[in-house]
Amino acid sequence: GQQLNQSPQSMFIQEGEDVSMNCTSSSIFNTWLWYKQEPGEGPVLLIALYKAGELTSNGRLTAQFGITRKDSFLNISASIPSDVGIYFCAGGYGNKLVFGAGTILRVKS
Amino acid sequence: AAGVIQSPRHLIKEKRETATLKCYPIPRHDTVYWYQQGPGQDPQFLISFYEKMQSDKGSIPDRFSAQQFSDYHSELNMSSLELGDSALYFCASSSGDRGSTDTQYFGPGTRLTVL
């Protein structure tokens, strides 16, 4: 079945730094979604991408749907302490989502 | 804006007992999904319903069943609970063009602990 490779697995950065994470797959997806999850809570949708090549921003977050439809990246600019959490990419095909393994983000203030 | 509601938020059961988890989707959402998330893992898809009919099935054990009711809420029934069933269970809902991949919005989850 479809699998996503999400990297990096974890990041420990200084407050104010920019962050970049990505997901790649050998399969094509119709949708790329990025979620953030905090401990014991449900994933919260950050950005949804629906078209190959689409670049979308949400505040300090920017994500792109790769032109080959097999990858996506998420950038966070000027990180702040409340950015800590686990970030998941999810590729959509049909009515299903496949999740990456997550990127754990820690911010040092 | 209204979000997905799940109840209970926490549940403790003994082995071999049964559990029922409830999910109330975002208003006007017609599709409900159930996921299981173990510690340190990504959410694993269990099952989904569209307009009260099962639409997709993932890695849901035979001991589990689910349904979607006329008001679109859904219940996940879990029987003969095992220690390995301890996990976070999420419900997500969506609404959209059936020809496209719907954007799923997740609830806060139910933490099930089996002792």
Side-chain angles (χ1 to χ4, degrees), chain A:
Chain A
Q2 276 87 341
Q3 284 191 321
L4 296 183
N5 299 308
Q6 183 170 352
S7 64
Q9 280 188 313
S10 65
M11 305 179 74
F12 190 14
I13 62 167
Q14 187 73 38
E15 182 179 359
E17 287 185 354
D18 297 342
V19 172
S20 186
M21 58 191 79
N22 70 85
C23 277
T24 60
S25 175
S26 57
S27 303
I28 289 174
F29 291 98
N30 298 324
T31 307
W32 282 96
L33 306 173
W34 286 91
Y35 293 89
K36 177 187 177 186
Q37 186 176 26
E38 298 186 29
E41 299 295 327
V44 174
L45 181 66
L46 299 174
I47 292 182
L49 302 159
Y50 301 105
K51 292 182 189 176
E54 180 181 354
L55 182 72
T56 297
S57 292
N58 178 8
R60 293 178 296 106
L61 277 60
T62 302
Q64 184 159 31
F65 192 143
I67 197 72
T68 64
R69 294 167 59 193
K70 295 181 180 180
D71 62 314
S72 177
F73 72 75
L74 174 71
N75 290 337
I76 305 174
S77 63
S79 58
I80 59 177
S82 62
D83 288 335
V84 298
I86 304 176
Y87 291 78
F88 288 102
C89 64
Y93 67 102
N95 204 27
K96 295 182 180 178
L97 283 184
V98 176
F99 281 83
T103 295
I104 300 171
L105 179 63
R106 298 184 182 91
V107 179
K108 186 167 49 175
S109 55

